[in-house]
Amino acid sequence: MKWYFVAFLLTVLTSSQGILTTLSQTNGKYKYDYATVPFLAEVFKLIVSSVFLWRECKNSHPPKMTTDWKTVRLFPIPSVIYLVHNNVQFATLMYVDTSTYQIMGNLKIVTTGILFRLFLKKKLSNLQWMAIILLAVGTTTSQVKGCGEASCDSLFSAPIQGYMLGILSACLSALAGVYTEFLMKKNNDSLYWQNVQLYTFGAIFNMARLAFDDFRAEFESGPWWQRLFNGYSITTWMVVLNLGSSGLLVSWIMKYADNIVKVYSTSMAMLLTMVLSVFLFSFKPTLQLFLGIIICMMSLHMYFAPPSTLVSLPPTVGSDPESLVTSPVDHKTDS
């Protein structure tokens, strides 16, 4: 399967996630416990990966599966990073508004590139660095509202704690992605075996979060397993399946492509969501949205296109002796 086809699917599914989540609301509120959605998505990914792993094990050439503790103990770490990241997100929103948080979230595009270079030792060309920065600029431009609006002033009026937490959130998000790619490419183990390990710990940590929420609320609504499917509709199940499918595609990209492909997919998904919202939710398009789309498309071409299509270099003088042409010089005598 080609990576760009998987990246396209991820873009579509990620874009659909926000739309389906909005459609799952009733009068602007959730009738279900939204914390159960990530848990069920992890269970879905675990089941799908287990089925594919079982099919691989039935083949004449069984898949490679590393089971030593030194390797297995590395797989809970992404879940721990995401758990810390989620708490930092909530802390950040205590100091900044939603639009400012979304704009600061684009820092993860640049931090992913930096960690991609530092930890995975992947060298990026100057053109690719420029493309990554352009992508961050494009996504930010699409989210900035008109400067006559109050939100434009709030972007630069948040406390310093908000900006520091926003930077930390971007770094944690990038770290989780880069570390997951490191795990997936650490050895030649089966993708589905690696997924089973990742999603087992993911399900355990999400279950622990549900139990902690119950404990904090003093079990006012009863234990989480009794209300697991309360308020679920067809749209809610579509949210769960969409989120789970997106996670499976991300793991494929981490194994066979890289983090930068994922960053481009999710960034393009955000722009696609804005465009679709124009037709679905009467969202008014802005000049900033169109400019952001143009900048992101330029960035996409700049990063993935062969350098020869971006820069046309003149032929080196003297490389071909036949290319040297002697031009006659007319010597005029002064009369």
Side-chain angles (χ1 to χ4, degrees):
M1 192 182 299
K2 298 293 185 180
W3 67 263
Y4 46 80
F5 176 69
V6 178
F8 172 76
L9 285 179
L10 179 60
T11 299
V12 174
L13 290 181
T14 305
S15 176
S16 304
Q17 187 64 27
I19 295 172
L20 288 172
T21 302
T22 302
L23 293 175
S24 69
Q25 296 177 354
T26 304
N27 297 324
K29 296 181 179 179
Y30 297 111
K31 283 190 172 182
Y32 57 93
D33 183 356
Y34 190 71
T36 61
V37 171
F39 169 70
L40 291 175
E42 292 294 319
V43 172
F44 169 75
K45 290 186 288 185
L46 179 58
I47 292 173
V48 171
S49 298
S50 300
V51 169
F52 278 102
L53 179 63
W54 174 73
R55 289 183 60 183
E56 279 189 342
C57 291
K58 292 182 65 177
N59 293 335
S60 56
H61 300 287
K64 181 183 177 183
M65 295 187 293
T66 304
T67 56
D68 66 279
W69 173 242
K70 290 183 179 180
T71 300
V72 174
R73 68 182 181 183
L74 300 176
F75 281 85
I77 295 177
S79 298
V80 174
I81 297 174
Y82 281 120
L83 181 64
V84 176
H85 173 252
N86 291 337
N87 289 320
V88 172
Q89 278 184 314
F90 284 109
T92 305
L93 289 168
M94 293 174 61
Y95 296 99
V96 302
D97 57 27
T98 306
S99 55
T100 302
Y101 176 78
Q102 288 177 338
I103 291 172
M104 287 196 301
N106 295 321
L107 287 172
K108 69 183 177 184
I109 297 173
V110 179
T111 53
T112 298
I114 295 172
L115 295 179
F116 186 75
R117 174 70 181 90
L118 292 177
F119 292 106
L120 299 180
K121 307 300 182 184
K122 300 292 183 69
K123 188 175 181 180
L124 300 174
S125 67
N126 291 336
L127 279 175
Q128 289 176 321
W129 276 115
M130 291 172 61
I132 290 174
I133 294 172
L134 267 182
L135 180 64
V137 171
T139 52
T140 302
T141 301
S142 67
Q143 293 172 334
V144 173
K145 298 181 180 180
C147 284
E149 301 182 26
S151 60
C152 186
D153 297 331
S154 66
L155 178 61
F156 302 102
S157 59
I160 187 64
Q161 297 96 318
Y163 296 116
M164 297 302 294
L165 287 170
I167 294 172
L168 177 60
S169 176
C171 291
L172 287 171
S173 177
L175 178 62
V178 170
Y179 184 83
T180 302
E181 182 179 345
F182 163 76
L183 275 183
M184 304 301 279
K185 294 178 177 175
K186 186 175 183 293
N187 51 40
N188 294 323
D189 280 5
S190 164
L191 168 65
Y192 304 116
W193 168 239
Q194 292 175 321
N195 280 350
V196 165
Q197 296 174 86
L198 274 177
Y199 302 143
T200 297
F201 289 112
I204 291 172
F205 275 93
N206 276 279
M207 188 189 305
R209 181 202 167 182
L210 290 171
F212 177 75
D213 289 344
D214 284 346
F215 181 78
R216 189 172 54 180
E218 298 180 351
F219 296 90
E220 182 179 356
S221 303
W224 62 269
W225 60 85
Q226 290 184 358
R227 62 176 193 280
L228 185 60
F229 305 118
N230 288 355
Y232 268 58
S233 63
I234 295 178
T235 308
T236 313
W237 281 111
M238 290 177 66
V239 172
V240 173
L241 296 178
N242 191 81
L243 183 61
S245 301
S246 299
L248 291 170
L249 291 178
V250 167
S251 68
W252 191 97
I253 287 177
M254 294 296 188
K255 181 77 170 178
Y256 300 111
D258 57 48
N259 257 282
I260 305 299
V261 173
K262 177 205 165 192
V263 164
Y264 270 94
S265 296
T266 53
S267 298
M268 294 301 167
M270 182 194 66
L271 297 175
L272 180 59
T273 301
M274 290 182 178
V275 173
L276 293 176
S277 297
V278 173
F279 304 98
L280 295 175
F281 305 115
S282 301
F283 174 76
K284 293 183 179 179
T286 62
L287 175 62
Q288 292 91 327
L289 174 59
F290 290 114
L291 289 175
I293 291 174
I294 293 172
I295 295 172
C296 288
M297 295 306 294
M298 291 171 59
S299 168
L300 183 68
H301 179 67
M302 186 183 296
Y303 188 91
F304 292 103
S308 58
T309 64
L310 299 173
V311 181
S312 56
L313 298 175
T316 305
V317 177
S319 59
D320 185 0
E322 297 181 359
S323 65
L324 297 177
V325 179
T326 304
S327 301
V329 179
D330 294 333
H331 297 279
K332 292 185 180 180
T333 305
D334 294 337
S335 53

